[in-house]
Amino acid sequence: MRVVLAEDLFLLRDGLVRLLEAHDFEIAAAVETGPELSRALAELEPDVAVVDVRLPPTLTDEGLQCALEARRGRPGLPVLVLSQHVEQLYARELLADGSGGVGYLLKDRVFDAEQFVDAVRRVAAGGTAMDPQVIQQLLTRRAAVDRPLERLTPRELEVLELMAQGRTNAAIAAKLVVTERAIAKHTANIFAKLSLEVSDDDNRRVLAVLAYLDRGH
């Protein structure tokens, strides 16, 4: 699996290259600026891009904007964005086209090699990988203004948070140490209470949940 990596800090970039290569990824390019990223994505057509939000020369959201532009030119290009802090605006921009193959992780997650590599693979496969802190902030904001979330039980809220991170029913069941059938029942209840269309497609399900949580902003 070919990866284009964009990170301006040398030590972190080098560490990510070594980590990904150790898990059988091929690094097509490891760059440090926005213009370099744009060229690499256009010319190399990687399987997935792992991109720091803030890149030179602007050090604002250059990395994210380069990735979004590349997705417009190549719809569905898998992009995993890394950020120092939770920025809901970045998450919204990434999810705006309603398609999969997107992820948003805080850089702290990089130090959990298993979690980070799993996120890269999930995004490359067309799935969604959202940082738990982003999901928690969306849940908190929606709960303040939206009655339907109040109808969810504590267990359903737990399942909703894991679902929105991009986990399958099987993964949620393993995390909560319950049966997959129990999770299927919880997800059915969640969709009913939130008036969301039921779907067996994991990625469409995640995007529907995130769209709901981010609605009205």
Side-chain angles (χ1 to χ4, degrees):
M1 189 180 300
R2 299 171 69 250
V3 181
V4 163
L5 171 67
E7 166 58 55
D8 65 316
L9 297 177
F10 170 77
L11 289 178
L12 181 54
R13 185 171 68 253
D14 186 60
L16 290 174
V17 166
R18 293 171 184 270
L19 173 60
L20 290 169
E21 287 181 336
H23 287 82
D24 299 322
F25 291 90
E26 176 190 343
I27 305 301
V31 302
E32 59 180 310
T33 70
E36 289 176 317
L37 173 61
S38 292
R39 284 195 299 272
L41 293 178
E43 296 172 5
L44 301 175
E45 297 188 349
D47 298 306
V48 60
V50 179
V51 178
D52 185 6
V53 166
R54 300 177 187 273
L55 291 176
T58 66
L59 288 175
T60 53
D61 63 349
E62 182 125 351
L64 174 65
Q65 295 307 324
C66 288
L68 292 176
E69 181 62 31
R71 271 176 73 89
R72 285 189 282 272
R74 181 184 156 193
L77 168 67
V79 174
L80 175 62
V81 166
L82 303 178
S83 180
Q84 195 70 45
H85 308 288
V86 175
E87 294 282 357
Q88 292 181 36
L89 174 62
Y90 298 157
R92 287 198 302 277
E93 286 193 72
L94 198 58
L95 293 161
D97 65 4
S99 62
V102 293
Y104 178 15
L105 291 184
L106 293 183
K107 286 189 175 181
D108 288 349
R109 308 290 173 196
V110 172
F111 298 106
D112 184 331
E114 184 178 342
Q115 186 177 30
F116 173 67
V117 170
D118 176 68
V120 176
R121 287 189 173 131
R122 193 188 312 162
V123 169
T128 306
M130 301 301 291
D131 195 282
Q133 287 192 38
V134 176
I135 302 304
Q136 190 58 52
Q137 285 202 15
L138 291 173
L139 275 170
T140 301
R141 192 186 71 208
R142 290 307 310 167
V145 297
D146 208 344
R147 292 292 180 186
L149 279 177
E150 295 179 1
R151 298 204 284 274
L152 300 186
T153 67
R155 176 60 93 181
E156 287 167 354
L157 282 170
E158 231 179 337
V159 171
L160 174 63
E161 184 170 349
L162 292 169
M163 189 193 310
Q165 289 172 28
R167 297 175 187 262
T168 64
N169 278 5
I172 296 172
K175 176 77 172 177
L176 299 181
V177 196
V178 297
T179 66
E180 196 170 340
R181 185 174 179 180
I183 297 303
K185 183 176 180 181
H186 286 312
T187 57
N189 290 340
I190 290 167
F191 279 110
K193 291 178 180 180
L194 299 185
S195 302
L196 290 171
E197 181 181 350
V198 178
S199 171
D200 292 329
D201 181 277
D202 288 319
N203 192 57
R204 202 180 326 168
R205 179 180 70 166
V206 169
L207 292 171
V209 171
L210 287 170
Y212 173 81
L213 293 177
D214 203 36
R215 187 180 61 192
H217 184 90

